[in-house]
Amino acid sequence: GENVEQHPSTLSVQEGDSAVIKCTYSDSASNYFPWYKQELGKGPQLIIDIRSNVGEKKDQRIAVTLNKTAKHFSLHITETQPEDSAVYFCAASPRTSSASKIIFGSGTRLSIRP
Amino acid sequence: DAGITQSPRHKVTETGTPVTLRCHQTENHRYMYWYRQDPGHGLRLIHYSYGVKDTDKGEVSDGYSVSRSKTEDFLLTLESATSSQTSVYFCAISERGQGDGNQPQHFGDGTRLSIL
């Protein structure tokens, strides 16, 4: 089955700098890659997603890149702000059946230093 | 925010007791999911439902059962709770299954369950 690895587990960056979180997946059939942000005491919130027919997607300060050949994808946050501090999860979903199998990475705790 | 309500939000119970968690949605989405979240493991799928009375197992289903008698409600039951089931439980919904168009999942705010 699918396995998603996420690095780093913790990340601390200066406010205004960029943050990058990287994930790899094992199942070449995966074709959907969402990213979630989780704040303390809340459920994960979808912040951006990318499908396998696209190499990059941007939404304001957030961008995601996908390399299907290498089976890895990354989240880039530019001009970081204090409100970006949270736990971020990558995920991968194989399109092998009608069953819903989204597999999550283990998460990255991002801290923004003032 | 997606209309998802989980209840209770917090619960403490003893080993061996039955526990039922409820997820209620107002979005009329077909698919509903139960996950557990533990440190170092991200979120792991317990069970999911693809329609009323239609459910299937996820990767960590042992010790859990689910029921969906109507579109808006999805119940997770621990028949005889164990300390290893202490976790935060999240419900999610989506319009279609990810194998059929990969629609995103939207999550509730979770239930923190402690089993002593």
Side-chain angles (χ1 to χ4, degrees):
Chain A
E2 176 64 279
N3 182 53
V4 177
E5 294 191 357
Q6 182 172 347
H7 300 281
S9 58
T10 60
L11 179 61
S12 178
V13 301
Q14 193 75 33
E15 182 178 350
D17 288 350
S18 296
V20 180
I21 302 171
K22 299 181 179 181
C23 292
T24 61
Y25 61 99
S26 60
D27 190 343
S28 57
S30 289
N31 65 343
Y32 176 63
F33 306 91
W35 285 87
Y36 288 86
K37 175 183 181 182
Q38 186 177 25
E39 298 177 335
L40 193 62
K42 298 288 188 179
Q45 182 180 15
L46 180 73
I47 55 172
I48 195 168
D49 55 10
I50 190 169
R51 302 179 189 275
S52 58
N53 58 346
V54 174
E56 183 176 2
K57 183 177 180 180
K58 289 184 179 180
D59 183 3
Q60 299 182 330
R61 297 186 295 108
I62 293 174
V64 58
T65 59
L66 172 65
N67 182 327
K68 289 187 295 183
T69 302
K71 290 191 283 188
H72 65 72
F73 56 114
S74 301
L75 178 71
H76 304 253
I77 306 174
T78 59
E79 301 174 6
T80 53
Q81 301 171 3
E83 54 264 37
D84 295 329
S85 293
V87 179
Y88 291 80
F89 292 95
C90 63
S93 178
R95 190 183 179 186
T96 55
S97 70
S98 61
S100 298
K101 303 289 185 184
I102 182 171
I103 306 300
F104 285 84
S106 55
T108 296
R109 183 174 299 277
L110 175 63
S111 300
I112 307 301
R113 302 190 304 271
Chain B
D1 290 343
I4 306 168
T5 304
Q6 291 187 233
S7 59
R9 292 295 315 278
H10 303 271
K11 186 172 182 65
V12 180
T13 190
E14 295 183 348
T15 301
T17 60
V19 177
T20 295
L21 308 183
R22 180 179 182 239
C23 178
H24 178 79
Q25 61 145 329
T26 58
E27 305 296 322
N28 200 35
H29 284 356
R30 178 180 178 185
Y31 291 82
M32 299 185 75
Y33 315 84
W34 277 108
Y35 290 87
R36 62 178 288 174
Q37 184 175 38
D38 304 289
H41 288 279
L43 292 103
R44 293 180 291 174
L45 183 65
I46 305 172
H47 282 280
Y48 64 98
S49 169
Y50 46 96
V52 173
K53 299 191 190 306
D54 291 324
T55 65
D56 205 349
K57 296 179 180 179
E59 62 179 309
V60 290
S61 60
D62 288 348
Y64 302 95
S65 62
V66 290
S67 66
R68 192 168 178 200
S69 60
K70 45 187 178 177
T71 299
E72 57 265 36
D73 288 327
F74 193 31
L75 303 181
L76 176 70
T77 297
L78 292 65
E79 300 290 348
S80 178
T82 67
S83 58
S84 64
Q85 294 176 310
T86 292
S87 187
V88 181
Y89 291 85
F90 287 98
C91 173
I93 64 174
S94 70
E95 291 187 81
R96 288 188 296 174
Q98 293 148 336
D100 179 26
N102 299 121
Q103 294 300 309
Q105 293 184 8
H106 301 281
F107 286 79
D109 283 336
T111 294
R112 184 172 296 276
L113 177 63
S114 297
I115 301 166
L116 307 178

